[in-house]
Amino acid sequence: MTPPQRRRRFPKAAAPPPPLPPIPKDSEGKGPKKIERLYVISGEDGARADLDLVTLIVACADPPLSATPEQTALLRLCTAPLSVAELSAYLSLPYSVMTVLLTEMLAADLVQARAPIARQSIADRNLLEAVMHGLQKL
C-alpha cells in the first residue's frame, strides 16, 4: 500500500494591482508636494478654547494674506455655520488639530464660535396639547 501523495496548490491568476494615484505636485508643478506633519500645521500646543464637536463656527472676516492654507480653507468653508466635527471631516484633520487652529483663529477674531441650541428637557404643555388636538381631528 502506498501513502497518499500531497498535491501542491497553485494560486489562481491574481488580478493586476490597481494603479497608484498620481503624486501631488507642488504649486509650480515640478516636484512632489511635501506633506506636512500635524504638529507643523497646529503649531505650539498651548491653551485651547473650550470647543465641543457640535460647536458651530462662523467666519467673521475674509482670509488675511498671512493665513495658512488650512486657515484659508476653514474660513471659506465657514461662510455658513458648520460644526467642528464637520470642519474636521471636510479638511481631513483630527479634532485635536482643529481645536488648535480654531483657538488661534478665535484669538485673531477671524471666526466666531456659537454654542449649539439646547433643547428643553421637558416639552411645553401648550405644544403637546396642540399636537394632541391636531391628531384627534384626523
Side-chain angles (χ1 to χ4, degrees):
M1 183 164 171
T2 60
Q5 299 293 322
R6 296 182 84 187
R7 292 186 197 175
R8 185 173 287 241
R9 287 190 226 167
F10 293 103
K12 296 180 181 178
L20 296 174
I23 298 173
K25 303 288 183 181
D26 63 359
S27 59
E28 298 171 1
K30 294 181 180 178
K33 184 177 179 181
K34 295 181 180 175
I35 299 173
E36 295 179 350
R37 300 278 183 199
L38 293 177
Y39 61 83
V40 174
I41 294 172
S42 62
E44 295 182 18
D45 194 19
R48 294 184 186 179
D50 187 25
L51 299 172
D52 289 338
L53 286 172
V54 292
T55 302
L56 298 176
I57 305 295
V58 182
C60 296
D62 291 330
L65 296 175
S66 61
T68 64
E70 291 80 16
Q71 290 174 338
T72 304
L74 224 154
L75 287 171
R76 288 186 179 150
L77 283 172
C78 290
T79 54
L82 288 175
S83 69
V84 177
E86 289 174 311
L87 291 171
S88 178
Y90 287 143
L91 296 178
S92 300
L93 292 173
Y95 171 72
S96 58
V97 173
M98 189 59 61
T99 56
V100 173
L101 282 173
L102 288 172
T103 301
E104 293 173 358
M105 295 175 75
L106 284 167
D109 289 331
L110 295 174
V111 295
Q112 188 178 37
R114 297 180 185 173
I117 299 170
R119 294 185 180 177
Q120 294 179 349
S121 60
I122 300 174
D124 184 23
R125 182 177 176 90
N126 294 333
L127 176 66
L128 292 176
E129 287 178 358
V131 170
M132 184 179 71
H133 292 304
L135 290 173
Q136 287 174 346
K137 288 180 181 179
L138 292 176

